Each structure stands twice: as structure tokens, then as C-alpha cells.
Amino acid sequence: MESFSSSWKALLLMVFFLLPLLAVGMTRHYKFDVVEKNFTRLCATKSIITVNGQFPGPTLYAREDDTVVVKVVNHVKVNVTIHWHGVRQLRTGWADGPAYITQCPIQPGQSYVYNFTVAGQRGTLLWHAHISWQRATVHGAIVILPKRGVPYPFFPTPQEEVVLVLAEWWRSDVDAVVDEATNSGRAPNVSDAHTINGRSGPVSGCASSAQDGFTLRVEKGKTYLLRIINAALNEDLFFKVAGHQLTVVEVDATYTKPFTTDTLLITPGQTTNVLLTADQGAGRYLVAASPFVDSPLVAVDNRTATATVQYASSVSASAVVTTTKPPPQNATPVASSFVDSLRSLNSKQYPTKVPPTVDRSLLFTVGLGVNPCATCTNGSRVVADINNVTFVMPTTALLQAHYFNTSGVFTDDFPGQPPVAFNYTGSGPSNMQTMNGTRLYRLPFNASVQLVLQDTGMIGPESHPIHLHGYNFFVVGRGTGNYDPKTSPSKFNLVDPVERNTIGVPSGGWMAIRFRADNPGVWFLHCHFEVHTTWGLKMAFVVDDGKGTNESLLPPPSDLPSC
């Protein structure tokens, strides 16, 4: 009996010491080999840059509060970096990944270890290359499961979970597409197809593509959690499944109040988790990903990517497919209805901590301009800007310049308001030239920030998916036309606004967000349309260290790449 009692005491002591370790999370190790590999799509073969030879790349799995260590080895002939899109990177900005913002690129033959903790997040995010247009093929999913033993908050554990990555495919070499546009000063060619998990489905002009679509096999009565990611470079996408309703439960790794819809809108960089119940008759059902654009001046790839939901009881893969009609390309009411339905869960376990008051109130106009270019086709170049500043990329990483107090790399005089007020959603000033500069906006630690993102009619209005690195933010308001600081805030939602890391500023409208600057470092803010980022629609916040413990940026790792 004494021996039995001693064994129980030993077991209790072991549990007592292990519980803190379980609460902190485990360390997960991954290796990403960046390599070239030939892929055949649309009846043509080309070499693309991949991670581990996969397109899309491998899914990275972790649980909330786990530490993730990824060794990235560059085996290709160009520089690379990897960004962990949506991961908060609390005090670990060195692991964020955007080239020349938080790190110098990983040069050919070199490697870098990204080390970060997934703190207080659970759901779906994505990782992707963050230099040039490499993310066209260098991207994949991040699946963050709840802490072990913690259930999903308001729905039973689904029988299966499936990752669906939406993307674009060019027949040409993507770098050649960018170079041609840069030399001409004009917009780049649009993609040749959209893809779902790397496959387009049937495309005219390529007979073999009829057998190319992704198939999701389901069993009647089961519920599936679909983790949907828009990894496309330049297009917002609608998503539908014929004959099925989708229940939205999470966006950008934050839980939402559940609502049911037949159509999702996902901008580049956004993720959406939905529940799909296999409640239809045996057969095959079409999955469609199609573009959304409500600006008549913007060219898009108008092809619809398709996949198939196939019930296990179906006789064969050749059975008749139940189809669905995608929304019209310019279906603004469909897009707005989806965006307006999103609300944060705001439960006791997952409260909505939107700043009730504001220390810094900023207004950023986002749009296009035209600058002189002696070597371009028409003597001018289309550019993009925030508050009339077209961002110039440095040759030294901004975070290093900030940490080591290196002068001459950037200035911290980015304008918090438009330099000149005008009718933003009108035709705008006749002079469409912008200012160039590597200008940052400085924030004190823990400041509460309200940022209004205002689209402009310069050249033409269009939507902009804006992504903020290092932070989640609350979307407290949106509207059409010009933001009015006197009347617009009266309609703000400060109770349960959706929490995101990427938001679509509506064409000819505005979006208001709030966040608390509690993460020291240099954090990129940019349009997630790669064409607009290339043109200069980007800036960065530099957030100073706080005074307390755990309120300062950690020192750089020893293997941080050099420029």
C-alpha cells in the first residue's frame, strides 16, 4: 500500500512539473528547401520556384502557443524570403520575412532559421515568399489548432478538415511578366488561370485540363471544416460550392459569429474557415473560384477555377456534375453582404478588445498616380501611393536600421493625413504625380491607433486588400464615398467588429480599423495586390520599445542574412 501511495505521489509531482510545459506549448521543427521544379499546367510545362518541390507548398501545422522553427535553405539562383502571413510575431520581427523591411534576403546557397511563437492565435493563416512576385508559386497553409484539450468554441469537432488554396497561374515566367511591365510603365499581363490546390479544372484550349481539377471526396452526413486561403497575387475571389451552404466560423485565425451563406469573398492574403455538411444526394458538385472586381478600368483574369465535391456513394467520377453559377464579376452587393455579415465572436473566452479611445487618428489615401519615366513607352509610369507617397524600397533592412540606429536608411516623417485634401473619390487633381521616399510613421509603444483607409479616384477607383504585418486589427467601420470625420464615426461598431490582418478597402470607399501598438519593431503596411505593391502602395510603422519587461524588440539572431 505504501508503494502504491508513493507511486501516486510521484505521478502527481510529474504532472505538476509538466503542466507548465503543456501550457507553454511544444517546439515544432520544419525544413523548407527552396528549389526549382518543372510543373505542367494548361498543356505547357515550365520551371517554377517551390518549397520542397510542391505547389502549393507544404502545410505547416502547430497549436496555439507552440514555437515554430523553420530552416529555409535557398537552392535557387535568386534571393528569397518567407513571410508567415498573419502571425503576430510578438517581439520577433526578425522572423516576419518581408525583404528589406525586417531582413535582408536569403541569398543563393544560404539559409536562415525563422523562429517564432504562435501566441494567442488559432485557425488558418498562410505563408508565402515576400520578394518580387515569387509568392505566385511559393506559398502554403498554416494550420493553427487550438491548445490540446481545448475544443472549438461553438461547433463540434468536424469529422475532417481540408485545406483549399486559391491561386493564379501564368503560362509565362512570372519574372518576365513583371520585367515587361516595369520596362513599359504599364500594368502587367493578367494570369492565364486561377487554381484550387494548384489545379485549374477545365480550361479552353487545353483538352487535358478537363481531368486536372481537384476532387474533395465526402461521405453523406459528415461535416467538413474547409480552410480556404486566397494566395492569388492580384485578384479578389468569390468561392461557391454547388448545392451546399457554407457556415463561416473563422477568418484570419480569429473566430467569428457563425453565419450561413452560399458565396464567400476572399481577398489576397485573407483566409476563411467554413463548415460544409454533406447533406445532398449522391453525385458530384462543382466548386467555383471566380474573380470579383467592380472597377471598369481594371483588367482581370476572368476564368473560373473549378474543383469537385464527390460523394463517396457516387457510382463514378464521370457522373453528372451539379453546377453553380458564379456571381457576376462586378457583383458589389454580393461582396458587401458578405463583408457586412462578419462579426467577431466576442465571447467570455474570446473577448473583442477593440480600443475604445484613440491616441493617434490617421487618414491614409490609397490609390494610383503617374510619374515621369524617360525610358518607358509613353514617357510616364503608373505608380501607386499612400498619402501621395510612393514608397522606395531600401537596400538595407529597415528593422536593422531601426535596431542599430543606422542613419540615412529611412525617415520617420510619413504624413498621418493626406498632404492635400481633395474630393478623394472624384476625379482628383489634374497633377497625378506622387512623391518618392522611404518614409515611416513612428508610434509610441501601446498607443491606440485609428487608421482610416480611403480609396481615391485617381486614374480610377478600385479595391485594395491592405495587410498590416505584426498586428491584428478591428474593422470598426466602412462606407462608400469620402470618409467624414464628423459623421462617419457615429456608425462605428465598437462592440463586436471583425478582427483581421488583411482587409479589402472598397472601390470608391473607405475602411476604418483600430489596433493597439503593443508590438515593437518595424511593421509593413501594403496592398496585397502584388501589382500595387510593386508600384509603391506600401509604407511601414516603426513602433518604439516600451519601458516594461517584455516590451522591447528581441536582439537579432546570429544567422540573420546580410545584404
Side-chain angles (χ1 to χ4, degrees):
M1 186 67 180
E2 183 176 345
S3 174
F4 180 78
S5 176
S6 299
S7 298
W8 268 106
K9 288 179 180 178
L11 179 61
L12 286 172
L13 280 172
M14 183 173 67
V15 170
F16 176 80
F17 285 111
L18 283 177
L19 275 176
L21 297 177
L22 293 174
V24 170
M26 65 180 292
T27 299
R28 298 175 184 263
H29 293 268
Y30 290 87
K31 186 181 180 187
F32 279 15
D33 287 302
V34 181
V35 297
E36 288 194 30
K37 186 176 180 181
N38 287 339
F39 275 78
T40 300
R41 297 289 185 271
L42 311 183
C43 291
T45 300
K46 71 171 185 175
S47 178
I48 63 173
I49 299 176
T50 70
V51 166
N52 297 352
Q54 300 175 40
F55 172 69
T59 297
L60 188 155
Y61 288 92
R63 288 190 180 274
E64 180 183 353
D65 290 342
D66 280 354
T67 294
V68 178
V69 179
V70 187
K71 183 177 182 179
V72 177
V73 184
N74 183 3
H75 299 279
V76 297
K77 298 177 182 178
V78 295
N79 293 339
V80 300
T81 69
I82 302 293
H83 169 52
W84 317 96
H85 185 115
V87 174
R88 283 292 315 274
Q89 298 289 1
L90 294 170
R91 304 176 62 213
T92 55
W94 309 106
D96 191 42
Y100 300 107
I101 305 298
T102 59
Q103 67 166 97
C104 298
I106 307 169
Q107 298 177 24
Q110 302 298 309
S111 65
Y112 179 47
V113 176
Y114 292 90
N115 189 328
F116 55 88
T117 299
V118 184
Q121 295 180 282
R122 76 294 305 166
T124 305
L125 296 171
L126 70 153
W127 59 263
H128 60 78
H130 212 305
I131 185 170
S132 185
W133 283 31
Q134 283 180 17
R135 71 179 176 91
T137 56
V138 181
H139 59 249
I142 301 175
V143 172
I144 308 170
L145 301 170
K147 296 177 183 178
R148 194 171 299 279
V150 176
Y152 291 116
F154 54 86
F155 57 92
T157 300
Q159 279 87 355
E160 289 188 36
E161 300 187 5
V162 181
V163 170
L164 297 175
V165 181
L166 316 180
E168 295 178 84
W169 182 268
W170 277 261
R171 284 191 174 95
S172 302
D173 179 78
V174 176
D175 286 337
V177 172
V178 179
D179 291 343
E180 181 183 357
T182 300
N183 293 333
S184 69
R186 297 175 178 174
N189 293 334
V190 300
S191 57
D192 296 296
H194 296 107
T195 60
I196 300 175
N197 280 359
R199 300 189 174 275
S200 65
V203 174
S204 61
C206 177
S208 65
S209 66
Q211 309 300 320
D212 192 43
F214 173 78
T215 298
L216 169 60
R217 290 175 171 79
V218 301
E219 294 183 26
K220 187 174 178 62
K222 285 189 175 183
T223 295
Y224 297 79
L225 181 67
L226 306 184
R227 299 177 177 270
I228 308 166
I229 297 166
N230 186 349
L233 262 65
N234 294 316
E235 292 174 10
D236 301 333
L237 294 172
F238 289 122
F239 180 90
K240 297 186 70 172
V241 180
H244 294 75
Q245 293 289 299
L246 306 170
T247 301
V248 178
V249 295
E250 176 257 308
V251 296
D252 291 3
T254 61
Y255 293 128
T256 65
K257 288 183 171 66
F259 69 94
T260 301
T261 181
D262 66 351
T263 306
L264 311 178
L265 174 69
I266 313 178
T267 74
Q270 289 185 338
T271 65
T272 303
N273 280 10
V274 299
L275 298 175
L276 178 145
T277 299
D279 56 5
Q280 300 299 301
R284 302 171 69 218
Y285 296 82
L286 194 72
V287 180
S290 61
F292 164 63
V293 60
D294 54 0
S295 173
L297 300 177
V298 179
V300 296
D301 175 0
N302 59 12
R303 298 167 182 83
T304 297
T306 57
T308 306
V309 169
Q310 181 173 331
Y311 279 68
S313 54
S314 299
V315 176
S316 71
S318 61
V320 175
V321 177
T322 300
T323 61
T324 184
K325 185 176 181 180
Q329 187 173 287
N330 61 348
T332 303
V334 177
S336 296
S337 175
F338 179 80
V339 173
D340 289 340
S341 298
L342 293 168
R343 293 286 186 273
S344 65
L345 188 58
N346 195 24
S347 65
K348 184 177 180 180
Q349 186 177 6
Y350 303 103
T352 301
K353 298 180 180 180
V354 56
T357 59
V358 174
D359 299 322
R360 297 291 179 94
S361 183
L362 309 175
L363 173 62
F364 286 2
T365 56
V366 291
L368 307 181
V370 179
N371 283 352
C373 174
T375 60
C376 295
T377 304
N378 295 321
S380 62
R381 179 192 306 281
V382 178
V383 296
D385 63 274
I386 301 177
N387 276 355
N388 204 45
V389 178
T390 295
F391 193 81
V392 176
M393 292 297 287
T395 55
T396 298
L398 296 175
L399 186 60
Q400 288 174 267
H402 164 63
Y403 185 83
F404 293 108
N405 199 26
T406 305
S407 61
V409 177
F410 68 86
T411 60
D412 60 2
D413 60 347
F414 188 90
Q417 303 291 322
V420 177
F422 61 96
N423 178 14
Y424 303 121
T425 52
S427 58
S430 57
N431 180 5
M432 292 188 287
Q433 191 168 335
T434 68
M435 299 178 287
N436 296 322
T438 310
R439 302 168 67 180
L440 279 57
Y441 190 94
R442 188 174 294 275
L443 289 169
F445 182 83
N446 214 39
S448 57
V449 182
Q450 177 174 292
L451 171 58
V452 176
L453 297 157
Q454 172 74 62
D455 182 37
T456 72
M458 302 285 283
I459 299 182
E462 60 179 299
S463 64
H464 299 277
I466 301 296
H467 172 48
L468 175 60
H469 290 228
Y471 289 92
N472 280 359
F473 50 73
F474 296 96
V475 185
V476 297
R478 68 188 296 266
T480 57
N482 296 332
Y483 172 78
D484 188 329
K486 294 181 179 179
T487 60
S488 297
S490 65
K491 300 178 182 179
F492 281 2
N493 174 12
L494 301 181
V495 178
D496 60 352
V498 67
E499 184 178 354
R500 308 208 70 145
N501 62 63
T502 306
I503 193 65
V505 178
S507 176
W510 55 270
M511 191 76 71
I513 65 174
R514 288 188 182 184
F515 65 96
R516 188 169 297 282
D518 58 0
N519 193 10
V522 175
W523 302 108
F524 208 20
L525 176 84
H526 63 99
C527 184
H528 225 262
F529 286 154
E530 201 64 53
V531 58
H532 290 168
T533 300
T534 302
W535 285 347
L537 206 162
K538 48 195 173 186
M539 58 82 65
F541 291 103
V542 54
V543 180
D544 290 328
D545 287 345
K547 297 180 180 179
T549 306
N550 299 326
E551 292 183 355
S552 60
L553 177 66
L554 293 172
S558 59
D559 65 337
L560 185 70
S562 57
C563 290

